Amino acid sequence: MELCSLSIFVKVIAVMVICLAMGLVLDVRDTSDMFIGAVYPELWRKAGLAGAPARAAACILAGVSLLALGWLYRLIFAPLELLRTADEVGYIAEDGRSRAQAANEVRRRRKTGELPPVYPNGWYRVLDSHMLDRGDVKNVTLLGEQVAVFRGQDGTAYVVDAYCPHLGANLAVGGRVVGNCIECPFHGWQFRGEDGKCVKIPYADKVPEFAKVRCWPSCEVNGLVLVWFHCDGTGPSWSIPEQEEITRGEWVYRGRTEHFINAHIEEIPENAADIAHLAHLHTPGIVSGVDLRYTNSKTWEFIRHDWKVDWNPEPDPNKHCSQMLVKHALTVFGRRWPLLDVDVVARQVGPGVVFLLFDHSFLGRGVMMHCVTPVEPLLQCVSHTIFYQSNIPPLVPKFILRAECIQFERDVMIWNNKTYISRPMLVKEDSSIQRHRRWFSQFYSDNSPRLRYQHDTMDW
């Protein structure tokens, strides 16, 4: 409601600017005489162009004003959305190569190593709730599968296999929502979102009992649509906790970022237990950027981030959860700025969802949801979605999200170019990494899919 009101206000101001400009254009007679007097070209008067420069200036002023208003609105009020492509971050393009060429070369030449299973059991984000309106259908790739995500007329989000079991048409490409069913664009078969059962075949007298499409266990909470995956087809054994402030509307959506990372899924949450990397990779100020070749430049060394971190798994009945406690301090020219000290509780729930909770006496409270969803065995979609107090200026959470994005993209450059080492060479100060790996192993089963190379092909 708040964003809607602001949008209406900006539109009203824009209309007023347009009306003012039109008034100037219609009312101006020979305003140029004020500036150039008798020197005004007589030929322009005879041609009926008297006052044309003033009219043109008024139109330009109106156009510039509208652009400035739009830019200010996006800067101050609109949610921040940064959506990166798979080759946009983390690769070095040299010798005239494009980023895409550099990314493909790294992926082709990188040593894979001995990998854990590629799809852990758990809940995974499909998309954000605001991306799926009533009656919408989206095609999403996750866990090596194509799924159709749609919102029925009852407002419920459903997730089913994308391919129609009849003749294989993609239900999400041209398919439409009919009630709480999705209709195949090829022959009009209709599948119920609740259980995948086919309820209508336009040209058949009877619908066979066996006619159905696989329906994925799903839920919608905290502004996210999620699906449950288990390699053995077992149902959910735990749930994603509800953030009540989001449900009550006290915390509102302020933006999201999205990245695609070429790495095994376990590499990403393992960062929480890799405490030593924070001091080396994330100490340089965010103004030094994301390219690791330049982050330690002396130009920006007067700004430093200091980190204190502690990671631990939670006991039963929440053994599928872990917590990382982060204390952040900022120093400028060696002087600490207590106002910018931030304590963050990062609670991981299963393999694919992390809640980063902010609670600051001056900057307010909010949550950033960090979600990792496998697209393919070694390709992860990582999103950060932030909800923040509605009475805090949007610039605050947008700055937090942008700062997190910069720090995260430094990790992306590491992940996109590293290999997974199953037996790493560790020192005693790295003990939390081994503890994290033991904790994360609970999300694998005997039948969890693995990646195997056979004659340059993938069999998993």
Side-chain angles (χ1 to χ4, degrees):
M1 288 297 293
E2 180 192 5
L3 287 177
C4 181
S5 301
L6 290 170
S7 177
I8 293 172
F9 173 74
V10 171
K11 289 176 182 176
V12 169
I13 295 296
V15 170
M16 291 173 63
V17 171
I18 293 173
C19 291
L20 177 62
M22 290 177 64
L24 286 171
V25 171
L26 293 173
D27 190 57
V28 168
R29 291 175 174 78
D30 200 1
T31 315
S32 301
D33 283 340
M34 296 168 54
F35 304 101
I36 55 179
V39 187
Y40 195 92
E42 184 65 26
L43 181 62
W44 283 34
R45 287 193 177 91
K46 290 180 180 179
L49 296 176
R55 292 188 178 93
C59 289
I60 292 171
L61 177 63
V64 171
S65 299
L66 284 174
L67 288 173
L69 278 172
W71 179 79
L72 281 172
Y73 172 75
R74 288 193 298 273
L75 176 67
I76 299 174
F77 301 117
L80 174 66
E81 296 197 339
L82 297 172
L83 312 178
R84 307 299 197 194
T85 60
D87 53 25
E88 191 173 350
V89 179
Y91 296 104
I92 298 174
E94 295 179 324
D95 304 324
R97 294 177 301 170
S98 66
R99 281 200 183 98
Q101 290 172 324
N104 287 332
E105 187 171 330
V106 168
R107 286 193 288 261
R108 187 173 64 250
R109 294 182 177 179
R110 180 172 56 183
K111 181 181 177 182
T112 304
E114 183 183 339
L115 296 172
V118 291
Y119 299 147
N121 303 319
W123 287 101
Y124 295 103
R125 168 190 174 270
V126 183
L127 43 72
D128 290 3
S129 296
H130 73 268
M131 299 165 61
L132 192 70
D133 292 333
R134 197 182 299 262
D136 276 358
V137 185
K138 302 286 185 182
N139 189 192
V140 179
T141 305
L142 53 82
L143 298 155
E145 303 275 0
Q146 296 285 315
V147 297
V149 190
F150 68 97
R151 192 177 296 282
Q153 297 304 328
D154 63 353
T156 304
Y158 300 102
V159 183
V160 298
D161 277 357
Y163 297 117
C164 179
H166 177 215
L167 285 175
N170 192 320
L171 299 172
V173 181
R176 67 188 183 104
V177 176
V178 179
N180 296 320
C181 301
I182 186 168
E183 182 182 83
C184 177
F186 202 6
H187 296 89
W189 289 33
Q190 292 181 7
F191 299 93
R192 194 162 52 204
E194 182 182 356
D195 55 10
K197 179 80 172 64
C198 182
V199 297
K200 181 181 179 182
I201 300 176
Y203 53 88
D205 295 329
K206 183 181 179 181
V207 177
E209 283 296 322
F210 58 81
K212 63 184 305 182
V213 67
R214 179 169 64 148
C215 184
W216 291 63
S218 63
C219 71
E220 189 167 9
V221 63
N222 304 326
L224 302 175
V225 177
L226 305 108
V227 295
W228 170 265
F229 168 82
H230 196 286
C231 61
D232 299 320
T234 306
S237 54
W238 41 269
S239 59
I240 298 294
E242 178 185 22
Q243 195 71 45
E244 294 182 359
E245 293 88 346
I246 296 176
T247 305
R248 294 196 299 262
E250 297 171 8
W251 293 358
V252 296
Y253 173 74
R254 293 303 190 196
R256 72 183 177 102
T257 64
E258 185 175 273
H259 296 80
F260 289 89
I261 299 172
N262 291 286
H264 188 277
I265 182 174
E266 192 172 333
E267 300 267 26
I268 298 167
E270 188 171 283
N271 254 25
D274 184 5
I275 297 170
H277 94 282
L278 288 167
H280 190 77
L281 190 65
H282 298 294
T283 290
I286 58 174
V287 291
S288 61
V290 303
D291 192 326
L292 302 185
R293 295 172 295 176
Y294 312 117
T295 51
N296 285 299
S297 167
K298 291 187 178 297
T299 305
W300 304 107
E301 64 179 4
F302 62 91
I303 302 178
R304 313 293 283 177
H305 300 280
D306 293 324
W307 309 90
K308 291 184 179 179
V309 179
D310 184 36
W311 177 87
N312 285 293
E314 294 185 18
D316 283 333
N318 295 321
K319 67 176 184 177
H320 60 279
C321 299
S322 67
Q323 284 199 27
M324 178 176 68
L325 306 179
V326 182
K327 292 183 178 294
H328 166 268
L330 181 70
T331 59
V332 181
F333 293 110
R335 182 179 177 182
R336 180 181 163 193
W337 290 65
L339 186 65
L340 296 178
D341 286 357
V342 179
D343 292 348
V344 179
V345 178
R347 186 174 192 241
Q348 176 151 3
V349 183
V353 180
V354 180
F355 293 82
L356 290 95
L357 291 161
F358 299 86
D359 190 351
H360 194 277
S361 58
F362 178 71
L363 299 177
R365 301 173 63 238
V367 63
M368 187 185 302
M369 284 171 289
H370 162 104
C371 300
V372 185
T373 301
V375 180
E376 298 171 358
L378 295 180
L379 180 63
Q380 319 302 324
C381 176
V382 181
S383 68
H384 292 86
T385 304
I386 191 166
F387 285 82
Y388 220 78
Q389 274 182 255
S390 59
N391 59 346
I392 296 293
L395 275 177
V396 172
K398 288 169 67 174
F399 174 78
I400 293 173
L401 181 62
R402 189 71 181 91
E404 167 66 18
C405 180
I406 292 172
Q407 294 286 14
F408 183 74
E409 288 183 356
R410 294 179 184 177
D411 289 307
V412 173
M413 194 167 187
I414 296 292
W415 290 322
N416 279 353
N417 293 277
K418 76 185 294 295
T419 186
Y420 180 86
I421 297 181
S422 58
R423 296 176 180 83
M425 187 181 297
L426 303 175
V427 296
K428 66 177 183 179
E429 289 80 5
D430 295 322
S431 60
S432 57
I433 295 176
Q434 285 288 32
R435 289 196 297 124
H436 186 278
R437 291 193 175 189
R438 287 194 294 270
W439 173 79
F440 200 87
S441 66
Q442 68 180 297
F443 304 117
Y444 301 129
S445 304
D446 292 340
N447 295 322
S448 292
R450 291 181 175 271
L451 182 68
R452 296 183 179 88
Y453 286 90
Q454 295 181 349
H455 306 295
D456 298 325
T457 64
M458 289 189 294
D459 176 24
W460 50 270

